[in-house]
């Protein structure tokens, strides 16, 4: 009987030790990752993007976040290739940006771009006679495609073109003027080759920091109100070059300052839920979210100089490095039930002893 008593006491001690681990298993970083994923899901639902070759950049944005409409896009792509003798033709021409987005999307899908339905899309992109990029905001998709196919020479060609046509050291990217948004788009575009363009990376960071306050970013020297667009673009820029702590701070500013009252990830502008701003936030989050899976990056810290995180505002956060898991209730119920049974058995055993 003494052995049984000792066993039951050991069981109760073990359950008491394990229960806190079960109840508080989700770290703040895990909670943040879950929150960002929920934000992305809410943005995807709100935007309701229908992927198409005609809006290939938007399709790429969607598929970075969600691939549930994959079949719609592939059906159109396959038909386009069939109708145009193995070439991708949109609005009567082979477009470098469309090709780049298709390469990026197929890469996300795990497809072979050198032999997709018998077509070498990689080679067709590399050999385009017209490599015009219609907007400096589209270079990001193009340089990422070059990185995906391993063509550094072509990637440098596009980065050099972007710099020559749009960038001024000390002032940033000029696209109808110098601004936070423009320079953030530039930094995200050269990010795949950041080691090769370190001078421009540092310069762009400094320019963006000049538009940044404790509450977010503003557009330029004329429009100085904190802007959700500018904050989202700056977040994209820093996330794309791997500076995730800065991206995290900007995420806090964006969500605390501009998220819809529905707390669904949708971003407000001028008092209304706004599709354009939400799309920019979605792009930024798809670059930020992967960093949350990196174990050695303490993005969530207990410091006094950090903005209050969205996670803290949405959940009851304690001062330690954990938050309660959504499964906490079940864990606690099981733990206390087991403890109750163990205690009851122990009492019975004691009665028998007496």
């Amino acid at each position: 009987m003494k052995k049984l008593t000792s066993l039951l006491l050991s069981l109760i001690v073990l359950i008491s030790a394990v229960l806190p681990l079960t109840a508080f298993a989700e770290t703040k970083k895990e909670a943040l990752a879950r929150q960002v994923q929920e934000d992305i899901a809410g943005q995807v639902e709100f935007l309701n993007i229908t992927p198409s070759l005609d809006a290939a950049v938007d399709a790429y944005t969607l598929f970075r976040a969600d691939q549930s409409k994959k079949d719609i896009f592939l059906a159109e792509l396959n038909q386009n290739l069939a109708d145009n003798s193995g070439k991708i033709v949109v609005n009567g021409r082979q477009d470098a940006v469309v090709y780049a987005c298709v390469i990026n999307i197929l890469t996300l899908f795990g497809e072979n771009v050198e032999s997709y339905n018998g077509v070498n899309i990689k080679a067709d992109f590399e050999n385009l006679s017209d490599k015009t990029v219609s907007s400096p905001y589209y270079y990001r998709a193009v340089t990422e495609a070059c990185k995906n196919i391993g063509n550094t020479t072509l990637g440098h060609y596009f980065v050099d073109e972007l710099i020559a046509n749009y960038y001024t050291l000390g002032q940033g990217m000029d696209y109808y003027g110098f601004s936070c948004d423009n320079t953030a788009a530039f930094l995200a575009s050269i990010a795949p080759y950041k080691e090769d363009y370190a001078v421009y990376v540092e310069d762009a960071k400094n320019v963006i920091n000049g538009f940044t306050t404790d509450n977010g970013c503003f557009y330029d020297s004329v429009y100085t109100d904190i802007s959700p667009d500018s904050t989202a673009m700056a977040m994209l820029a820093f996330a794309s070059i791997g500076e995730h702590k800065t991206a995290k701070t900007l995420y806090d500013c964006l969500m605390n300052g501009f998220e819809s009252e529905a707390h669904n990830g949708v971003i407000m502008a001028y008092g209304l839920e706004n599709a354009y701003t939400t799309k920019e936030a979605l792009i930024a989050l798809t670059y930020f979210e992967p960093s949350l899976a990196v174990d050695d990056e303490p993005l969530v810290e207990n410091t006094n100089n950090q903005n209050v995180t969205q996670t803290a505002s949405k959940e009851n956060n304690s001062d330690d490095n954990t938050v309660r898991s959504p499964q906490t209730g079940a864990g606690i119920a099981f733990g206390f039930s087991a403890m109750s049974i163990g205690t009851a058995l122990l009492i019975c055993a004691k009665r028998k002893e007496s």
Side-chain angles (χ1 to χ4, degrees), residues 10-169:
S10 298
L11 175 63
I12 293 172
V13 170
L14 177 62
I15 293 171
S16 299
V18 171
L19 180 58
L21 298 178
T22 304
F24 299 96
E26 187 179 52
T27 66
K28 284 185 177 180
K29 190 170 181 182
E30 290 167 342
L32 176 60
R34 173 170 52 80
Q35 186 59 63
V36 169
Q37 290 163 1
E38 291 175 2
D39 292 335
I40 289 173
Q43 291 164 355
V44 168
E45 181 179 4
F46 173 75
L47 292 170
N48 193 26
I49 296 170
T50 298
S52 70
L53 289 171
D54 194 46
V57 175
D58 283 350
Y60 179 39
T61 296
L62 171 65
F63 290 130
R64 285 185 60 87
D66 178 90
Q67 296 181 12
S68 61
K69 296 180 180 179
K70 169 182 175 179
D71 291 344
I72 296 174
F73 182 81
L74 290 181
E76 182 188 358
L77 174 61
N78 295 342
Q79 189 62 54
N80 189 286
L81 290 169
D83 292 344
N84 296 288
S85 303
K87 306 301 181 184
I88 303 172
V89 178
V90 175
N91 295 325
R93 60 186 292 266
Q94 292 179 269
D95 186 281
V97 176
V98 173
Y99 264 91
C101 289
V102 168
I103 286 172
N104 294 333
I105 290 167
L106 291 178
T107 301
L108 288 172
F109 293 167
E111 299 285 352
N112 182 0
V113 296
E114 294 186 64
S115 182
Y116 177 76
N117 287 357
V119 177
N120 191 336
I121 296 176
K122 170 183 179 291
D124 288 344
F125 171 62
E126 293 170 325
N127 296 323
L128 286 174
S129 58
D130 182 2
K131 293 183 171 63
T132 301
V133 179
S134 55
S135 165
Y137 277 73
Y138 294 162
Y139 276 89
R140 172 176 55 86
V142 173
T143 58
E144 287 175 3
C146 294
K147 191 73 171 181
N148 280 329
I149 62 176
N151 192 330
T152 301
T153 300
L154 186 58
H156 285 178
Y157 165 84
F158 283 114
V159 172
D160 291 344
E161 181 179 75
L162 178 63
I163 291 170
N165 291 338
Y166 296 101
Y167 201 81
T168 301
L169 286 170

Side-chain angles (χ1 to χ4, degrees), residues 172-249:
M173 187 171 90
D174 183 5
Y175 185 58
Y176 300 101
F178 297 100
S179 71
C180 177
D181 300 37
N182 291 342
T183 304
F186 170 85
L187 183 52
S189 297
I190 69 172
Y193 301 100
K194 61 183 180 180
E195 293 85 2
D196 303 326
Y197 294 88
V199 170
Y200 288 93
V201 168
E202 289 304 312
D203 188 78
K205 284 166 54 179
N206 290 334
V207 171
I208 295 169
N209 286 335
F211 296 112
T212 303
T213 74
D214 289 341
N215 298 314
C217 303
F218 55 93
Y219 183 74
D220 63 11
S221 58
V222 175
Y223 299 99
T224 56
D225 290 341
I226 301 302
S227 162
D229 302 298
S230 301
T231 304
M233 288 299 297
M235 179 185 171
L236 162 65
F238 284 102
S240 68
I241 60 171
E243 297 199 5
H244 303 305
K245 286 187 179 180
T246 303
K248 164 64 170 58
T249 299

Side-chain angles (χ1 to χ4, degrees), residues 305-323:
N305 60 350
Q306 293 285 334
N307 289 321
V308 178
T309 68
Q310 182 197 17
T311 303
S313 69
K314 291 186 176 181
E315 300 193 37
N316 237 345
N317 248 341
S318 60
D319 290 332
D320 61 10
N321 198 39
T322 58
V323 294

Side-chain angles (χ1 to χ4, degrees), residues 241-260:
I241 60 171
E243 297 199 5
H244 303 305
K245 286 187 179 180
T246 303
K248 164 64 170 58
T249 299
L250 292 167
Y251 167 78
D252 294 339
C253 293
L254 180 66
M255 305 311 288
N256 288 334
F258 299 99
E259 187 184 19
S260 166

